[in-house]
């Protein structure tokens, strides 16, 4: 596997917008999928944003203290990230 040299960060207001932004990425080796701005964030979201991707991905769900917009509990954030890992 070649080393990753460029990671594009994408976000959206909804899961559909995030997937569309993910699919528009060009010229990057990897994509960061920001879940913390989604209005429709649910337990199914990680699988939905990872399905059908063309590039390796990192899923993030940043809390306010990380510069993100996730307002739920740390336990809820961990569940979301564990679902992405699975």
């Amino acid at each position: 596997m070649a080393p990753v040299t460029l990671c594009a960060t994408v976000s959206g207001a909804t899961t559909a917008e995030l997937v569309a932004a993910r699919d528009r990425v060009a010229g990057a080796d990897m994509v960061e999928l920001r879940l913390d701005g989604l209005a429709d964030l649910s337990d199914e979201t990680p699988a939905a944003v990872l399905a059908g991707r063309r590039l390796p991905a990192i899923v993030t769900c940043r809390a306010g203290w990380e510069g993100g917009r996730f307002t739920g509990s740390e336990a809820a954030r961990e569940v979301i990230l564990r679902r992405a890992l699975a």
Side-chain angles (χ1 to χ4, degrees), residues 15-27:
T15 299
E17 287 180 14
L18 179 59
V19 169
R22 178 202 72 189
D23 291 345
R24 286 191 303 271
V25 169

Side-chain angles (χ1 to χ4, degrees), residues 3-84:
V4 173
T5 57
L6 180 63
C7 181
T9 299
V10 296
S11 60
T14 66
T15 299
E17 287 180 14
L18 179 59
V19 169
R22 178 202 72 189
D23 291 345
R24 286 191 303 271
V25 169
D29 302 300
M30 180 178 213
V31 63
E32 175 191 12
L33 304 169
R34 291 279 307 265
L35 302 185
D36 49 284
L38 299 177
D40 60 349
L41 182 60
S42 72
D43 289 345
E44 292 78 33
T45 301
V49 300
L50 290 168
R53 70 189 185 282
R54 295 176 290 112
L55 297 171
I58 183 170
V59 175
T60 58
C61 186
R62 298 182 186 190
W65 61 270
E66 293 180 305
R69 294 177 282 190
F70 185 73
T71 58
S73 70
E74 190 63 19
R77 189 169 82 107
E78 184 177 328
V79 166
I80 291 164
L81 294 172
R82 286 189 183 279
R83 286 184 184 268

